Amino acid sequence: MTDPVEEVRWTDAELDKHRQIAENNFIEQRMEQGVEDYLEVYHQKESAVRKFFERTDDLRNLSGDLFVRNPDFTTPARHVTAPPISQDDLDTIVGENISKRKTIPRDAADEGVWVIEQLIDPERFPWIEDERPPTDEEREIAIKATAGIWAVKRTQTNRRNDPAQEQEEHILETLKSAGLREKSITRIQSREELDQLPAGCVAHQVYVRSSEADITVRLQDGRLLAIEGKVSNSSLNSIKRLIHEVGDKASNWREEFGDNVVPAAVLSGVYDRKHLKEAQNDRDILIFWEHNLDSLVNFVEQTT
C-alpha cells in the first residue's frame, strides 16, 4: 500500500497554482482591510497620548512618581522618544523590568524617566529644549504625530498576529469538523509519551520535544502529524517562515521521533516556488494550503 505521505506531493504546476491563489487571497484581504483597523487603533492611542500630555504638563513634568502611580504611562512615554524605544530596550537600560509591570519600584521609575528625558524627540517637542510651554498648534501636532507613530506600530503588530491566530483556529476547527476529537495536552517529549494524544485526536499548541507545534494530530496509523501554520507577506519572508522556522522544527522533531512524526505546514500568503520545493522535496515537509484544507482532511482520513 502506498504511504499517504507520498500522495501529498505537489508538482511544480500545482505549487504554482496554489501559491498564486494564496497570494491573490492575501492581496484581497489586505485591500479589504483598508485603513479602518488603523483608524480604530489611532483614535484609542490619541486619547491615551492626550491624557499623558495632560498629566505631565505637556511632557514638562515627567517624574518617577507618575510611573509609580500610573504604570501604564510607560507605554505612551516610550513613544515620545526618537525613535520610540522598545519595551526590551527600556528594561535593559533601566536594569529592571518596568514596561510590563503593574507596580514599579520608585528607583526603577526614576531611572525610566531619566532614559525618556535623554531620548525625547526634539523635532516633535521643540518646547522641551526651549524650556517653555507649547503653542496650541505645537501641542496638537505633537499629540497627533505621537498617536500616529504608536498606532502604526500597533496596527502592524496586529496584522502579523491576527492572521496567524485566525489561521490556527481555522485549521483546528476544520479538523474537528472532520471528526477528530480535541484533547488538551501541553507536551509530548518522547516516543513513550505519544499515547498522551490518542489516535483520532487533535491538540492545539503542543510542545513536541522542545519545539511547539501549532496543531498536532495523532493519525490512525500511530504517527504524529505536527502542523505549523504560516502566514507570509513576501517571497523573502517565506525563507524565514517556511525554510528556517518550519524546517528547524522538523529537524528537531525527527531527532527524537524519527519516522513516527510527520512534519507539515499549512500556508497562506506569499511564497516563492523554490522555497516551497525545498521544503517539500529536500526537507520532507508536507505542504497544505489554508484555502484548500480539504487536502489536509483527506490526508488524515487516508492514514486509517
Side-chain angles (χ1 to χ4, degrees):
M1 179 180 291
T2 302
D3 186 344
V5 168
E6 298 304 319
E7 300 295 322
V8 190
R9 298 286 181 181
W10 305 99
T11 65
D12 288 358
E14 290 171 331
L15 286 176
D16 278 335
K17 170 189 172 182
H18 285 291
R19 75 179 186 84
Q20 191 61 61
I21 293 172
E23 184 171 330
N24 290 342
N25 288 345
F26 177 84
I27 294 171
E28 182 179 347
Q29 291 165 3
R30 275 291 188 264
M31 295 306 296
E32 286 179 352
Q33 283 178 316
V35 299
E36 295 302 318
D37 57 340
Y38 165 77
L39 289 176
E40 182 178 351
V41 174
Y42 172 83
H43 291 306
Q44 295 172 354
K45 303 313 180 188
E46 182 186 10
S47 177
V49 171
R50 198 171 294 277
K51 181 179 179 182
F52 183 61
F53 270 51
E54 291 172 355
R55 295 292 297 275
T56 61
D57 191 19
D58 299 320
L59 309 184
R60 295 189 301 153
N61 188 24
L62 293 171
S63 69
D65 185 57
L66 178 71
F67 284 177
V68 170
R69 290 184 283 108
N70 302 274
D72 290 343
F73 277 165
T74 58
T75 305
R78 290 191 298 102
H79 288 85
V80 303
T81 65
I85 187 170
S86 69
Q87 291 180 335
D88 290 341
D89 284 359
L90 180 60
D91 291 345
T92 298
I93 295 171
V94 170
E96 189 167 348
N97 183 352
I98 68 170
S99 298
K100 301 177 183 179
R101 292 182 61 164
K102 293 183 178 179
T103 59
I104 302 176
R106 181 54 188 266
D107 58 344
D110 289 340
E111 184 70 13
V113 167
W114 180 84
V115 172
I116 299 300
E117 289 177 333
Q118 303 310 303
L119 302 176
I120 197 165
D121 187 346
E123 292 295 328
R124 268 183 291 159
F125 318 111
W127 65 88
I128 299 299
E129 188 172 307
D130 295 344
E131 297 183 353
R132 61 174 174 82
T135 65
D136 291 343
E137 182 180 15
E138 285 175 330
R139 180 186 298 107
E140 281 304 304
I141 291 173
I143 288 174
K144 291 181 180 298
T146 304
I149 292 170
W150 190 359
V152 165
K153 291 179 60 180
R154 174 50 57 187
T155 303
Q156 290 173 334
T157 300
N158 290 346
R159 287 187 176 185
R160 287 193 301 269
N161 294 341
D162 291 350
Q165 182 177 347
E166 291 170 2
Q167 184 189 59
E168 290 181 28
E169 293 172 354
H170 186 195
I171 300 167
L172 183 62
E173 291 305 315
T174 297
L175 291 170
K176 288 166 61 179
S177 296
L180 274 71
R181 304 183 308 279
E182 185 175 9
K183 187 173 176 61
S184 179
I185 61 173
T186 58
R187 293 181 178 276
I188 299 176
Q189 299 292 292
S190 63
R191 300 188 188 203
E192 291 73 27
E193 295 181 359
L194 280 172
D195 288 337
Q196 291 186 76
L197 188 65
C201 290
V202 59
H204 186 205
Q205 295 179 337
V206 178
Y207 271 90
V208 179
R209 200 187 187 202
S210 58
S211 300
E212 186 180 64
D214 293 331
I215 306 292
T216 308
V217 177
R218 187 72 184 280
L219 302 171
Q220 292 290 352
D221 63 13
R223 289 180 293 183
L224 192 70
L225 177 65
I227 303 171
E228 279 290 285
K230 290 299 175 186
V231 181
S232 171
N233 61 5
S234 71
S235 296
L236 183 61
N237 194 42
S238 68
I239 302 175
K240 175 184 177 183
R241 295 283 177 248
L242 184 55
I243 302 304
H244 295 306
E245 293 180 359
V246 182
D248 290 349
K249 287 187 177 184
S251 297
N252 180 285
W253 295 331
R254 286 195 176 103
E255 284 182 9
E256 176 63 33
F257 298 97
D259 293 338
N260 289 318
V261 67
V262 181
V266 171
L267 308 179
S268 66
V270 184
Y271 292 87
D272 191 295
R273 187 179 71 175
K274 70 178 181 181
H275 303 144
L276 295 170
K277 290 178 64 177
E278 179 181 346
Q280 174 182 262
N281 302 333
D282 300 337
R283 296 175 180 262
D284 291 325
I285 298 168
L286 297 191
I287 292 177
F288 301 98
W289 302 90
E290 188 177 2
H291 63 260
N292 182 33
L293 288 180
D294 286 348
S295 62
L296 173 60
V297 172
N298 291 338
F299 170 76
V300 172
E301 291 176 346
Q302 287 176 18
T303 62
T304 60

